[in-house]
Amino acid sequence: MTYIELVNRFWVLNQVKAFSSIDVAVYFLLLNECNIRRWLNPFELQTRYLEYVFGISRKSIGEARNRLKQRGLIDFMEGKGKSPATYFIKDAEVNNRELVVTFNVSTGNNKSNNKSNNNGNISVTTQVTSRKQQPESYIIINKDIRYRRKKSIKESNTSSQSEMLFHDEEKVHHSKIEDELPPTLEEVFRYFLSKDADKKLENWEESARRFYDNFSAVGWRDKYNRRITRWDSRANNWILDEQRERNNEINQKHHRNGIQDKLPPTPGCGLVED
């Protein structure tokens, strides 16, 4: 199904039985996240990000996901520990070779699969071998794109040498474009959350916004006027620096309080006898 077909199907189901407001919000956020990833399906997303966007508890998010799954719109697999959850938009094209093993679906022609899967949920595979190579972050768009290009080059070994050179040049060209694209503020927020900035910093949202504004103001270039290609590395250093600065302020405050407690009373401050 296309994007508009998925949307139309949702509203048809809504006419049969109305979805709750949180169900609507979660489903369309997942559709948007899949679209942002260029329809990478299945895809990974931190549950903590949904909590941040909607301002609701993890329990409410879990209940909404289960209702969407029961209505045959999505399937999902909760991550272990701090790992992101894996989401599958049912009847959308399956094109993620790294995560598709999580679900019992085929990467071939999905039209036949869609007919057979419309009436029920996709069962989750209990033995998943590819999760040993799970990415550190849920931001896996560029990784999957590079993976697919690498596979396409390997599969074309029987083609002519000129075609191989064309694929190599295309790979280098697109990799450079991807690396040079600056992040959006939303992507910065996601990265800060993936690095537990909400636990490390007193106000992680303000810190993330200052990071974004700081480098946006200089066109995402360093002090030598070179384009920044690894903004995530800069963001990680930013988090560590702010965490270190915060710890230093706390230690200095404790130090000053300790000195103040040890100071003798000021002469003449006692009671005056007649």
Side-chain angles (χ1 to χ4, degrees), residues 89-264:
I89 306 296
K90 291 190 64 177
D91 296 328
E93 182 182 358
V94 179
N95 54 18
N96 189 341
R97 294 186 180 94
E98 289 185 339
L99 295 179
V100 74
V101 72
T102 308
F103 303 93
N104 285 330
V105 292
S106 171
T107 57
N109 187 354
N110 290 329
K111 292 183 179 180
S112 61
N113 290 332
N114 294 340
K115 293 179 181 179
S116 62
N117 289 335
N118 280 340
N119 297 326
N121 297 326
I122 300 171
S123 59
V124 178
T125 304
T126 55
Q127 295 180 353
V128 182
T129 57
S130 68
R131 296 194 67 86
K132 295 179 181 178
Q133 299 177 353
Q134 189 177 29
E136 294 180 0
S137 171
Y138 59 87
I139 308 176
I140 58 175
I141 305 172
N142 291 341
K143 179 177 179 181
D144 186 78
I145 291 171
R146 295 191 183 99
Y147 172 81
R148 281 185 280 167
R149 289 204 184 98
K150 185 177 180 181
K151 289 287 291 182
S152 66
I153 292 175
K154 288 183 178 179
E155 291 169 359
S156 62
N157 283 334
T158 56
S159 61
S160 64
Q161 185 176 4
S162 59
E163 291 177 343
M164 289 293 294
L165 291 174
F166 172 77
H167 283 299
D168 289 339
E169 291 174 0
E170 182 185 19
K171 178 182 177 182
V172 172
H173 174 70
H174 285 286
S175 295
K176 288 181 178 179
I177 292 176
E178 290 163 6
D179 290 339
E180 291 177 359
L181 287 176
T184 63
L185 180 59
E186 185 180 7
E187 288 173 335
V188 172
F189 278 150
R190 292 180 194 165
Y191 184 80
F192 269 61
L193 278 176
S194 71
K195 293 298 181 182
D196 294 332
D198 54 332
K199 298 178 182 178
K200 297 176 181 178
L201 304 179
E202 186 174 0
N203 190 336
W204 71 271
E205 293 179 63
E206 181 183 345
S207 177
R209 193 178 298 275
R210 280 192 284 104
F211 169 80
Y212 178 81
D213 292 341
N214 179 75
F215 285 99
S216 294
V218 295
W220 292 94
R221 293 182 176 275
D222 60 17
K223 61 182 180 180
Y224 302 107
N225 201 30
R226 296 176 301 194
R227 182 171 292 278
I228 296 173
T229 57
R230 290 296 308 277
W231 68 267
D232 52 344
S233 177
R234 301 266 178 167
N236 189 51
N237 290 336
W238 183 282
I239 294 171
L240 293 176
D241 290 341
E242 296 231 332
Q243 182 184 15
R244 191 180 300 111
E245 183 177 347
R246 181 193 177 198
N247 292 337
N248 288 339
E249 290 178 357
I250 293 174
N251 292 335
Q252 289 177 5
K253 183 177 179 180
H254 290 333
H255 180 68
R256 287 194 299 268
N257 291 339
I259 293 176
Q260 189 67 31
D261 292 340
K262 294 179 181 180
L263 288 176

